[in-house]
Amino acid sequence: MASETENKQGGARVRVPPPLIFLIAIGAGILLETYVLSLPSPLTGVRFGAAFILALPGAALAFSALHLFERTGQRPEPWKPSPVLIARGPYRYTRNPIYLSLMLFECAFGLAFDNLWIVILSAPALLAVHHLAVLPEERYLTGRFGESYRRYMAAVPRYIGARNLSVIGTTRSIDGQQEAD
């Protein structure tokens, strides 16, 4: 049964797949570059290197987060139920490593194809994901995990920033054993 924070499947009330939002932003950037105004890239000579520098941490975040989903028997789709709270790997440093990786990939794509519009539109894409996915996910996870998730939110930044080690308590590891972070 769906609640105010859960959908009928038992997951967060996220109605739009977050990767679709980033793809729409890439498409909009291509249209703007092609039909409205071509913006000169300030990184023309080093754009592939800059794209690689952004894509590498994006790939590391995405693959390590997806690996943890697989190990815990979860699906990355936010509308699917979350049986356990993951607070390991990249989730020790950001609560949203997959969305952060998608933004990094979008920026890398824009740089690689010399399209500054795509880079610029990555910020509104993340803002849209923030409202359409992150906030509903946070409400769902707070309802699902209660105080454990509130402590996790207080300790780990939503996207990037410093961890607040003073509030990190004991969490359940992916193998079900209690361990301190």
Side-chain angles (χ1 to χ4, degrees):
M1 178 178 184
S3 70
E4 285 187 32
T5 60
E6 287 184 10
N7 62 22
K8 291 178 183 174
Q9 294 177 303
R13 287 183 171 268
V14 175
R15 292 176 175 88
V16 179
L20 180 62
I21 295 168
F22 288 100
L23 288 174
I24 290 169
I26 289 171
I30 292 169
L31 292 173
L32 285 167
E33 180 76 19
T34 304
Y35 298 109
V36 178
L37 175 67
S38 180
L39 297 176
S41 173
L43 301 173
T44 302
V46 295
R47 64 188 172 107
F48 290 113
F52 180 76
I53 288 170
L54 292 176
L56 193 60
L61 282 171
F63 289 126
S64 60
L66 292 171
H67 177 71
L68 285 170
F69 272 102
E70 183 180 309
R71 285 187 59 195
T72 59
Q74 297 187 69
R75 302 287 307 149
E77 296 91 348
W79 52 87
K80 302 275 181 149
S82 296
V84 296
L85 178 61
I86 302 173
R88 299 179 58 82
Y91 290 94
R92 295 183 74 184
Y93 305 100
T94 173
R95 295 195 314 258
N96 296 286
I98 294 174
Y99 302 148
L100 192 54
S101 73
L102 289 170
M103 183 178 179
L104 289 170
F105 285 141
E106 181 175 336
C107 290
F109 185 85
L111 289 174
F113 288 94
D114 205 19
N115 186 323
L116 199 54
W117 282 112
I118 293 173
V119 176
I120 291 168
L121 291 174
S122 68
L126 184 61
L127 183 63
V129 167
H130 176 78
H131 288 284
L132 297 172
V134 172
L135 295 179
E137 284 180 55
E138 288 179 349
R139 287 189 292 272
Y140 164 74
L141 293 169
T142 300
R144 175 87 169 87
F145 298 107
E147 187 56 34
S148 293
Y149 189 69
R150 282 190 276 284
R151 277 195 316 272
Y152 175 69
M153 284 178 34
V156 178
R158 187 177 273 147
Y159 299 107
I160 56 173
R163 292 176 66 201
N164 184 353
L165 299 176
S166 66
V167 296
I168 294 177
T170 302
T171 60
R172 190 166 301 279
S173 71
I174 57 173
D175 60 5
Q177 301 298 313
Q178 288 285 346
E179 73 179 36
D181 280 330

